């Protein structure tokens, strides 16, 4: 192509490229905004309506009588329970280690794993590694007995 | 009450405009002198690669983040267009690396999705990272003051780029398992070891990226302000020490403070970069009508200046908006994460990419002293492109898992709502 004609074409094309990229960025911002709104609505609805995943622990016995029986501990997707303030579920209780156990909640199951040498048993069986727990199971953490129930159990 | 339209917005128009941009830019390059058939081929191949990926991956993984994929590959395409305008032969080489990067991206996505027990791989990851970095220190060649390149069979590799992909995994595995300092000591030894090996190579840009990633991951996992502050104070001390120890750091800081004092030596690159951006103006000089080759390292570290000169500051700002959107969407993926492993992994990757982008763009526009790192997705460099795409693959893997879980929870919540009397 003739050099001058090519230069003219390139100069004209600058506006074309700017228009295209502005359109792309506009579209990207619009899509991000819409998806964020839908995402916020979905998470709000899920938290309002609840799911059928069992996701709360209920204190049924405390041998030292330091905590109130019936205390409800809602579980998140991953919750560390212990006597340290840094834990997701913080219980001031002498029989608990600073970080005692980790509970994981997935759509399929709930699991518990002792941290270090912490005393964790499920239905009376001492646990040393990650194990599944089911609704109604009794979990012992130190001197506390807890029952796994649904998020909205009374 | 105004109802919310629950239909997901389509990415069709954005994808179409990206295809038209890549096609018209390469077509314009094909008319440059004698008709260039390679450019014509690329005008079809580049958009085709992007669209094929989108269609195939969307079919296999319907919950993937399509927008993030499009944005990343649009930036990669833009990089190849700029490289083709500068050096057609280097652009073809970059295209091959791009293909390898796509394979790495898909592999990383599948590994993130399907490997459940990363703990078993920890020793290999840690020793492998150290071996890569130590090997570079022993056998590497020095470029621009840093000994971070290694020659293997005619190819130059930058091993610290590949370690960048493994590093967030090690952080995530350790920090998701425990928050006790005693159990985190091996992780501290690993991270400090990597950073020291990079200091020995004098690759201070990578040091900064690795350090920022570790400190962000630690703070996110533990919310411990004490150790985080100690880490930040140590980093400040390290920065002052490196200023005293390494002459090239002192030269770069001096060039940043007053580039005009060394206009024909250390300040030359900064001044040429700034003049290049300024000469482009709002609309740019036009593709092929600028003279960006006057800037040292124009096709790698200074690719953003080339972009602003030829395409203009408006498009330069739009590219920054695209980077910001990639990071915002990545952060949304991390915030949705149900497991702390996914949260720490995705945030570490985002920190790595965001700090890298900030360092080089900040350096090019003289906001901070220049550090020689590549601009993710745009710059020339196979190792960088492959590692950045692999990191995006990991992020996609996490996004797919989170979106699937959210979809399941949403279906259950809707079922409950419908069952309510």
């Amino acid at each position: 192509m003739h050099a001058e004609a090519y230069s003219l074409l390139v100069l004209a094309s600058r506006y074309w490229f700017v228009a295209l990229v502005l359109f792309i960025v506009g579209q990207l911002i619009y899509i991000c905004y819409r998806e964020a709104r839908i995402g916020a609505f979905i998470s709000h609805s899920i938290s309002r309506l609840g799911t059928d995943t069992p996701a709360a622990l209920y204190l049924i016995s405390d041998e030292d009588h330091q905590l109130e029986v019936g205390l409800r501990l809602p579980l998140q997707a991953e919750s560390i329970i212990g006597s340290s303030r840094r834990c997701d579920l913080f219980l001031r209780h002498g029989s608990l280690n600073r970080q005692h156990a980790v509970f994981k909640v997935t759509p399929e199951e709930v699991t518990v794993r002792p941290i270090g040498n912490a005393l964790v048993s499920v239905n009376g069986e001492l646990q040393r590694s990650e194990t599944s727990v089911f609704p109604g199971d009794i979990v012992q953490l130190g001197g506390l007995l807890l029952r796994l129930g649904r998020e909205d159990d009374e | 009450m105004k109802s919310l339209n629950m239909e997901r917005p389509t990415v069709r128009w954005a994808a179409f405009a990206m295809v038209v941009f890549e096609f018209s830019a390469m077509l314009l390059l094909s008319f440059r002198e004698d008709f260039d058939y390679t450019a014509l081929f690329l005008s079809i191949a580049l958009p085709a690669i992007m669209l094929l990926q989108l269609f195939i991956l969307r079919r296999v993984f319907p919950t993937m983040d399509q927008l993030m994929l499009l944005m990343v590959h649009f930036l990669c395409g833009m990089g190849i267009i700029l490289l083709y305008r500068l050096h057609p032969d280097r652009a073809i080489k970059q295209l091959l690396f791009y293909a390898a990067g796509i394979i790495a991206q898909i592999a990383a996505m599948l590994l993130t999705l399907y490997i459940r027990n990363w703990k078993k791989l920890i020793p290999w990851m840690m020793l492998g990272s150290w071996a890569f970095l130590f090997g570079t220190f022993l056998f590497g060649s020095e470029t621009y003051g840093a000994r971070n390149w290694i020659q293997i069979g005619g190819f130059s590799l930058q091993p610290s780029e590949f370690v960048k992909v493994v590093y967030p995994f090690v952080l995530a595995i350790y920090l998701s398992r425990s928050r006790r300092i005693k159990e985190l000591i091996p992780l501290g030894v690993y991270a400090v070891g990597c950073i020291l090996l990079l200091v020995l190579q004098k690759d201070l840009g990578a040091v900064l990226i690795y350090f920022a990633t570790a400190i962000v991951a630690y703070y996110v996992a533990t919310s411990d302000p004490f150790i985080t502050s100690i880490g930040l104070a140590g980093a400040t001390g390290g920065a002052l020490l490196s200023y005293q120890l390494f002459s090239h750091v002192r030269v770069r800081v001096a060039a940043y403070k007053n580039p005009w004092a060394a206009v024909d030596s250390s300040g030359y690159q900064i001044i040429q970069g700034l003049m290049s951006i300024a000469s482009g103006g709002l609309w740019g000089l036009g593709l092929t009508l600028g003279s960006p080759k006057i800037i040292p390292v124009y096709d790698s570290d200074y690719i953003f200046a080339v972009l602003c000169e030829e395409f203009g500051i408006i498009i330069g700002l739009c590219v920054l908006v695209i980077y910001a959107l990639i990071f915002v969407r990545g952060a949304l993926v991390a915030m949705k994460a149900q497991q702390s492993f996914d949260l720490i992994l995705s945030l570490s990757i985002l920190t790595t990419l965001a700090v890298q982008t900030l360092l080089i763009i900040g350096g090019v526009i003289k906001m901070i002293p220049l550090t020689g790192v590549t601009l993710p997705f745009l710059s020339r460099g196979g190792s960088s492109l492959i590692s950045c795409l692999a990191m995006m693959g990991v992020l996609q893997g996490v996004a797919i898992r989170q979106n699937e879980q959210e979809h399941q929870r949403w279906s259950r919540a809707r079922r409950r709502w419908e069952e309510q009397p």
Side-chain angles (χ1 to χ4, degrees), chain A residues 63 81-82 93-103 112-122 124-129 138-146, chain B residues 180:
Chain A
E63 61 184 27
I81 188 164
H93 196 271
S95 69
L96 288 185
N97 291 359
R98 289 181 63 74
Q99 292 191 356
H100 200 98
V102 188
F103 280 88
V112 59
R113 176 172 62 81
I115 298 177
N117 292 322
L119 172 72
V120 174
S121 62
V122 177
E125 276 182 38
L126 194 64
Q127 303 298 326
R128 282 276 159 250
S129 57
I138 306 296
V139 182
Q140 185 181 356
L141 304 175
L144 300 178
L145 280 185
L146 301 134
Chain B
R180 289 202 294 194

Side-chain angles (χ1 to χ4, degrees), chain B residues 18-28 40 43-44 47 81:
Chain B
M18 288 174 183
V19 166
V20 174
F21 180 91
E22 289 183 351
F23 175 75
S24 42
M26 284 313 295
L27 196 66
L28 196 63
L40 185 69
S43 71
I44 295 162
I81 291 167

Side-chain angles (χ1 to χ4, degrees), chain B residues 253-265:
Chain B
V253 173
Y256 158 72
K257 281 160 80 179
N258 185 9
W260 296 99
V263 69
D264 50 358
S265 54

Side-chain angles (χ1 to χ4, degrees), chain B residues 208-259:
Chain B
L208 207 58
I209 294 169
Y210 277 60
F211 174 77
T213 308
I215 211 84
V216 168
Y218 179 77
Y219 187 71
V220 165
T222 62
S223 313
D224 178 0
F226 182 64
I227 302 276
T228 312
S229 310
I230 290 177
L232 288 173
T236 314
L240 292 173
L241 194 69
S242 68
Y243 181 79
Q244 299 296 332
L245 284 178
F246 302 119
S247 60
H248 73 282
V249 177
R250 285 195 296 276
V251 168
R252 283 190 180 182
V253 173
Y256 158 72
K257 281 160 80 179
N258 185 9

Side-chain angles (χ1 to χ4, degrees), chain B residues 46-359:
Chain B
L46 273 185
I49 291 172
M50 188 170 73
L51 286 185
L52 265 177
Q53 257 195 95
L54 180 70
F55 289 141
I56 294 173
L57 290 177
R58 188 168 65 175
R59 214 169 173 76
V60 182
F61 303 106
T63 55
M64 72 177 294
D65 193 332
Q66 298 174 34
L67 203 65
M68 195 146 72
L69 185 94
L70 272 179
M71 290 192 280
V72 164
H73 289 276
F74 177 61
L75 291 178
C76 293
M78 214 174 213
I80 291 174
I81 291 167
L82 286 171
L83 271 181
Y84 196 86
R85 173 262 176 271
L86 297 164
H87 286 288
D89 49 335
R90 288 184 192 172
I92 298 297
K93 211 172 162 186
Q94 184 75 356
L95 190 70
L96 295 177
F97 286 128
Y98 180 40
I102 292 171
I103 295 170
Q105 174 197 264
I106 295 171
M109 193 162 98
L110 294 175
L111 288 176
T112 312
L113 271 176
Y114 295 114
I115 292 192
R116 287 275 176 195
N117 198 355
W118 285 99
K119 203 183 143 199
K120 279 184 187 164
L121 298 171
I122 269 211
W124 299 108
M125 285 177 162
M126 291 168 93
L127 291 176
S129 315
W130 278 359
F132 258 54
L133 295 176
F134 192 60
T136 321
F137 172 63
L138 287 183
F139 310 111
S141 53
E142 198 163 312
T143 321
Y144 302 114
R147 194 189 178 95
N148 54 358
W149 288 92
I150 203 160
Q151 307 285 336
I152 299 173
F155 278 97
S156 302
L157 293 176
Q158 210 175 337
S160 67
E161 290 288 342
F162 297 111
V163 177
K164 249 185 222 168
V165 187
V166 176
Y167 188 69
F169 275 100
V170 180
L171 291 174
I173 295 165
Y174 267 102
L175 290 168
S176 63
R177 283 193 67 78
S178 175
R179 297 170 198 180
R180 289 202 294 194
I181 299 292
K182 232 189 272 174
E183 290 175 31
L184 294 178
I185 288 173
L187 176 67
V189 172
Y190 166 75
V192 171
C194 286
I195 291 171
L196 281 180
L197 284 169
L198 288 166
V199 171
L200 287 176
Q201 295 169 26
K202 298 184 202 163
D203 190 355
L204 299 180
V207 169
L208 207 58
I209 294 169
Y210 277 60
F211 174 77
T213 308
I215 211 84
V216 168
Y218 179 77
Y219 187 71
V220 165
T222 62
S223 313
D224 178 0
F226 182 64
I227 302 276
T228 312
S229 310
I230 290 177
L232 288 173
T236 314
L240 292 173
L241 194 69
S242 68
Y243 181 79
Q244 299 296 332
L245 284 178
F246 302 119
S247 60
H248 73 282
V249 177
R250 285 195 296 276
V251 168
R252 283 190 180 182
V253 173
Y256 158 72
K257 281 160 80 179
N258 185 9
W260 296 99
V263 69
D264 50 358
S265 54
S266 56
Y268 181 77
Q269 190 181 25
I270 295 179
I271 289 172
Q272 289 305 327
L274 290 175
M275 282 167 57
S276 176
I277 294 172
S279 64
L282 278 182
W283 306 97
L285 292 174
L287 193 59
T288 71
L289 295 187
S291 20
K293 287 187 182 175
I294 204 162
I295 319 168
V297 210
Y298 53 86
D299 56 355
S300 173
D301 299 3
Y302 264 74
I303 196 87
F304 186 70
V306 179
L307 178 104
C308 288
E309 181 177 352
E310 302 231 319
F311 280 115
I313 290 174
I314 297 177
I315 293 189
L317 285 175
C318 288
V319 166
L320 294 187
V321 173
I322 295 176
Y323 275 110
L325 288 176
I326 292 174
F327 301 140
V328 168
R329 283 187 79 88
L332 288 177
V333 168
M335 281 160 66
K336 264 198 280 182
Q338 294 290 306
Q339 280 91 32
S340 52
F341 174 77
D342 285 346
L343 169 75
I344 299 166
L345 180 64
S346 42
L347 269 182
S348 306
I349 284 174
L350 273 181
T351 311
T352 304
L353 289 173
V355 171
Q356 190 171 336
T357 310
L358 196 76
L359 279 181

